[in-house]
Every structure is written in C-alpha cells, then in structure tokens.
Amino acid sequence: MGRQRGIRFYNDADIDFHTGDMEMTMTNKVINLPEARISSLDIPGRDGMLDISAAVGRTRYKNRMLVFNFVIVEADSMAAEKTLQKLASCIHGKRMNIIEDDDPTHYYMGRCTISSVGTEPHVIKFNVTCDCDTYRYDCYDNGLWEWDSFDFENDIATDYDDIVFNGSIDVLVVAGDKIVFPTFICSDDMSVEHNGVIYQLNRGSNLTELVLDSGINTLIFKRDGEGKVSIRYRGGYL
C-alpha cells in the first residue's frame, strides 16, 4: 500500500516529514485565495467612491489561509494521542514550508496551528490551519527544477542557468504574479537592458533594481566578446 495522500511540512530547523508517514488521513482541504487590499476615497461632489487600490501600480493582497482536516485512527487510543502530540511538537505555532500532494511543484510559507481536536474511542479528528504568505512559490533550488515533480502541462520552467552569448542576446524570462528582483551571476562585466533601462553588471553575483513584471520580460545582455550569465529568482503565484 502506498503512502496516504497528505501534506509535507518542512523548515530550516531539520523538520521534514509527510503526514502520510505518520498514519494520518487527510479528509478535506480548503486553500483560499488571498483577499485583495481594497482602498477607496469618498470625494465630495463625485458619484460613488474612487478606487485607489492599485495606486501603487498593482493590486496588493493580504495573507491566505489554508485549512487541512485530518483523522488518526488507531486501535490503541494512546498511540493516536501520541501521534498528535508528535505532530504538535513539529508544527504547532511554528512557521513552516507546506507542500500539498496535489501541487508538488509549489510550496506555501506560513504559521501552523492545530485546532478543533475531537477525540472519540480510537479516533482523533483535528484541523491544521496555516496563516500563509500571499503567494505559493516555485519548488526549485538555485534556479534549477526538480524534474521528477515537474508538470510539463501546467508548470513553467524557470531554468536560466549558464546562458552563453557573444556580443548580445535577448532572453525571454517568464515571471509569476509576484514581482521579484532577480539575481544575475555573470562570468564577466556586462550590461542588461529591461524596459529601456540599462543596468551595469559586474563579474560575480549581482542584485540590481531591475524588477521582473508578471508575464514575459525581455532582458537584453551585452558585452564585448563572449559572456555567460545565470538568472536566479523564485516565482510566486496566486
């Protein structure tokens, strides 16, 4: 029998486990979209309200809530309680990275709370509520995809490592919903142009004021002679 469908929780403090390995059964999940931050002004003499939600250039969002319902069924009620206690020691009140089995190429980041614990003979029912950041993020390391979990129909490959060019090259970079500042790792001094603005890059790692907008971005790299550049960033999606 394979592992039960569930959630992987992990952080930077050596906590990394899947609920299916703890004999927990996930019975339901609710993954809410983040609520938009809506702002409006009531201007005398004007009909209606003036919506200024995107006055900063784009819509901003609040946190998003994830709720997972679990049940532990054990012939030994004491064993079920110990399993729940073990889970609480790992995640209750802690900020975790969260990957659900139906979306293995992205993760959420949020603070977890165990609640609504109901105990019956040999059965414990409870909820894990996660107060998460706005976006779900790409699961990749240093710009490289873990291809075993890549969905070729729905995922966007963001592997822009070791791009070699001579003189200049146009690179199309696809960014998610979250605006990000990419890091450029350059073999030599060069420049990159984006939306008509030119940024000077030095040999090594560079973090500039260049912002990747949601969608397709055209980056133009230039230098005298041959060069190599890697583009690193972590995409975020609603």
Side-chain angles (χ1 to χ4, degrees):
M1 181 181 296
R3 183 173 65 185
Q4 296 187 51
R5 174 172 163 269
I7 308 296
R8 177 188 171 194
F9 294 97
Y10 66 101
N11 62 12
D12 295 329
D14 297 327
I15 295 177
D16 190 343
F17 68 94
H18 190 280
T19 56
D21 295 331
M22 301 178 72
E23 301 301 326
M24 299 177 181
T25 301
M26 187 172 70
T27 58
N28 191 43
K29 67 176 180 180
V30 177
I31 297 179
N32 293 303
L33 286 172
E35 180 183 349
R37 293 187 179 275
I38 304 301
S39 299
S40 58
L41 290 177
D42 187 2
I43 301 177
R46 184 184 188 278
D47 290 330
M49 304 287 287
L50 178 62
D51 189 339
I52 59 171
S53 303
V56 295
R58 66 183 182 91
T59 302
R60 303 285 182 169
Y61 298 91
K62 300 179 182 180
N63 276 12
R64 67 197 305 163
M65 301 300 294
L66 281 56
V67 181
F68 305 104
N69 307 124
F70 287 94
V71 61
I72 303 174
V73 180
E74 284 279 3
D76 182 351
S77 297
M78 184 70 71
E81 291 180 8
K82 287 184 177 179
T83 299
L84 180 58
Q85 291 168 0
K86 180 180 178 180
L87 177 68
S89 295
C90 290
I91 70 170
H92 185 61
K94 297 178 181 178
R95 186 168 172 82
M96 307 293 295
N97 299 321
I98 303 151
I99 301 178
E100 52 121 355
D101 286 352
D102 292 334
D103 188 13
T105 58
H106 300 95
Y107 71 96
Y108 301 89
M109 296 176 62
R111 194 164 299 279
C112 302
T113 304
I114 297 175
S115 62
S116 302
V117 178
T119 302
E120 303 173 9
H122 314 300
V123 176
I124 293 180
K125 299 178 181 179
F126 62 94
N127 300 335
V128 177
T129 302
C130 309
D131 185 358
C132 292
D133 296 354
T134 300
Y135 300 97
R136 58 191 179 97
Y137 299 99
D138 286 329
C139 288
Y140 64 88
D141 183 20
N142 294 327
L144 300 178
W145 273 92
E146 297 176 355
W147 292 103
D148 287 345
S149 61
F150 188 80
D151 183 341
F152 284 90
E153 293 186 1
N154 300 310
D155 291 326
I156 299 172
T158 53
D159 180 4
Y160 301 103
D161 263 23
D162 296 334
I163 301 169
V164 178
F165 65 96
N166 196 335
S168 68
I169 188 172
D170 292 11
V171 179
L172 299 182
V173 178
V174 182
D177 300 306
K178 184 179 187 295
I179 291 178
V180 294
F181 294 85
T183 296
F184 302 102
I185 302 174
C186 306
S187 62
D188 301 274
D189 294 349
M190 62 182 69
S191 67
V192 59
E193 180 178 345
H194 179 242
N195 291 338
V197 180
I198 298 175
Y199 304 85
Q200 298 299 323
L201 305 176
N202 300 318
R203 180 178 180 179
S205 181
N206 298 261
L207 182 61
T208 70
E209 295 181 354
L210 187 154
V211 175
L212 294 180
D213 301 315
S214 177
I216 299 176
N217 297 259
T218 301
L219 304 184
I220 305 172
F221 294 92
K222 293 182 179 180
R223 69 166 267 101
D224 293 332
E226 187 174 283
K228 182 169 66 175
V229 62
S230 295
I231 308 168
R232 304 279 176 83
Y233 69 95
R234 190 176 299 275
Y237 311 87
L238 291 177

